Structures are given as structure tokens and as C-alpha cells.
Amino acid sequence: MLLTSLALIFLVGLSLGTICKAIKLPQIIGMLVTGIVLGPYVLDLFDSSILGISAQLRQMALVIILIKAGLSLNLKDLKKVGRPAILMAFLPAAFEICGCIIFAPLILKVSYIEAAIMGAVLGAVSPAVVVPRMVQLMDEKYGTEKGVPQMILAGASLDDVFVIVLFTAFVGIAQGNGVQVMTFLNIPISIVTGILLGAAVGLLLSIFFEFCHKKNHTVRNSVKVIIILGFAFLLLAVETWLKNYFSVSSLLAIMSMAIVLAMRSAKEVVTRLQDKFGKIWIAAELLLFVLVGAAVDIRYTLKAGGGAVAVIFIGLAFRSVGVWLCMLGTKLNQKERLYSVIAYLPKATVQAAIGAIPLSLGLPCGNIVLSVAVLSIIITAPLGAIGMDLTYKKLLKQELPANEETPAPAESLAVEETPTAKETHALEEAPNAE
């Protein structure tokens, strides 16, 4: 049954994704629908063994796209938008939580602390939806001149750390444990330790690859992919091992590792690694979004009602104000700011992961929090994905591949060498091509 479940995930998910793409909808919608319909709450065609490791499989898929994101991220570009990227990590989520605290008690008749828990569940942007699209924008050079995708990518990666820490604190208060100062100190601790640990691993890997090359034991890029994935999974495990002592953000560590590797590797090697992780992502994306859909209990949406929908959209309105405030003082124009707002709408991964925790802990708000979490995935994941896919060419300026390495007239570069052509050129001339 495990193999049958995998076959259904890949074949049905790919088919519905392709149909959605053919009718100008994001493929993610077809994948989410596949998971919802074939999952345990509708047709129940997935084997319990694959559902039992669903969280781990989703995490593995997220690791793959985070590595590709790190390999694509240029720190020089990120420095252009350093301050707003940091603000994007917490300000939009904080605004959304405040919106829930103000309006959820009025609309859903919950207490303020229950509203805070709900806001923390809703507050996280989905890296699973956002990160692949920002990587695509960086590959196609849309918005990269002003660092728009880099800013959103960095903010979305840090956003989850902030929200999950707040969620833990609010749940502790609801259980009568009070406020622990260390809980809030874990936010900067996990960010700093994650970045440093990932950078150290990336440095060691780059030294190892350089050493092998000097000794004429060149490591094939396929083998490098396996080694990098192995260390990325180890970083996930390190977060679990150390959680009783201090916090480490493993997702930031993975991205940091990939960034350092990209900085210390030849450009053609990085291009080929990006290409290989891009191919792996095709299968990983299916696993990620179909299993996210399978985690959605559609029954709870029937209980939530219009009040839950109203809270979700009020939260999104507050969140959008927070994103807009992050842009103040930047050189971004109105279109680029609007795209940043749209990119921060989708929710999926974190909501699927923590939405059911209050219910499992026996909190009175458990059912309504889970209902709102499920609804937020169904509403905002397609909304954000469609919004990003339909607007990026209209709202963002495509950067011409000038000033890269060889000086040439801008007109010539624009016509003769697109970013895709440059990647092909690098692959063709790379030494030891596989």
C-alpha cells in the first residue's frame, strides 16, 4: 500500500497539477486538491504508513528547495534590502496576530489568549509556497535589481522562527504555565546559532571539495548533491538534539550552508548544482503539497463558518499593512511593494504542522483554531500562489543580464543572451561535465 500511495501522489498529483497549469492556474492547486481528495478525510486512499511519516517527508521536500534557494541567493543583493528583510521576518506576523487579538474575540467569542494562539497559527507565511517562486524570480531575474525576491525569501525563512516561538509562549500561558523570558530569548538565539552552524558546515564542505579536487579526486556533482543533502538532514536532527539546551533554526542553517557553498564554489559548479536540485524538486514538490493537502481535515471547514473566514481576511489586511510598513524608506516603487504584499499572503506548511496542537493539548479553543488553520490553507495558498504567478511579470522589472562578467552593449545582451542561455553556456563549457 505504501508504493500504491506513492504512485497516487506522483501520478494523480502530476496530472491535476498539469491540468491546472493548462488552464492558467498554479500547479500547487492541483497538488493540494489531490491530497485533500485522496487523503484520510475524503476518499482515504493513502496508506497509514505514509501518513505517519508525512511530516518528515514534507520537511525533506522543504530542505531541497531551501538548498536551491541558498545556492541562488547572492549576499550582495541581499545587502541592498537588509533592513526591510529583517522587518519582514516579524512585523507582518505581529500585525496579523494583533488583528486576531482585536477581532477574533468579537467575531468568534474566544478569549484574548485563545485569539493570540489563533493569530500565531495564522501568522506564518508558507515557505513551501513562497520559496520556490522566489527562486524562480531570481533565476529569471525579475525584481533582482532591487533585491525584491531576496528580501521576501529571507523574510519568509525567518518569519516561521518568530511565529513558532510566539505560539509556544501563548500555548504555555493558556495552559497556566505563565510567560517564560527564555521563550522570547530563543528567537535571536535560534537565528544566530542557525546561521553560524550552517555557515560552519558549508565552509567545511567547501574545504573538503577543494581538497578532493587538489588531490585529483574530483567529486562528481551527483555525489555532491547526496553529501549536501546528508548534511542538511543532519542539521535538522541537530535542532532536535539541542532543543533542551538552546534553540537552533535548522532551516536557516540549511540555507546558510548552501549560501557559503555557493560563495566558495566556481560559478559553473553552482549552476550545475542548482540544476540538479531543481530536478529533484520536481518530485519533492509533489510530495510536499499533496501531503500538505492530505493533512487538511476538510470537515472542520464546515464547522468554522463565515466568522472564521472574516477573521482570516481581517488578519490578512493587518498583515498587508505590516508588509507595507516594512517597505517605508526603501527604493521600491508601488508595484514592487504591492508584489511584496501578495507574496506574503499564502499559508500552508506551518498551519498544517501546528494547527492541531491546541486540540491535541485539550485546550477549549482547539477545534476553532484547527478550523481556522484549515480554512486559511484552503483560501490563502491558492490565493497567494495565483497572485504571485499572475502578477510578477506586470509588477516587477526584469533585470537584463548586463555587468555580469564580460562588458557588452545592453542591447546585445538583452537579445543574444538571456539568463537561461547563460546557464546553458556555463554548463556546456564546464570542465568534467557529467
Side-chain angles (χ1 to χ4, degrees), residues 32 35-36 39-41 46 51 54-55 58 288-298 300 348-349 351-353 356 370 374 377:
L32 286 172
I36 292 171
Y41 306 111
F46 290 149
L51 294 174
S54 172
R58 296 200 306 267
L288 175 60
F289 290 115
V290 171
L291 291 175
V292 165
V296 172
D297 189 344
I298 199 73
Y300 283 109
T349 324
Q351 287 70 27
L370 181 56
V374 169
I377 296 171

Side-chain angles (χ1 to χ4, degrees), residues 65 68-69 71-73 131-144 149-150 270-271 274-275 278 392 398-399 401 404 418-423:
I65 194 59
K68 190 175 189 303
L71 292 171
S72 304
L73 195 59
V131 172
R133 283 163 175 78
M134 295 308 106
V135 173
Q136 178 188 343
L137 292 187
M138 289 188 288
D139 289 343
E140 297 181 12
K141 302 293 184 182
Y142 275 96
T144 51
Q150 293 93 327
V270 175
T271 301
Q274 288 173 343
D275 182 61
Y392 76 95
Q398 189 173 27
E399 182 183 4
E404 292 263 330
T418 63
T420 304
K422 287 191 70 184
E423 288 185 8

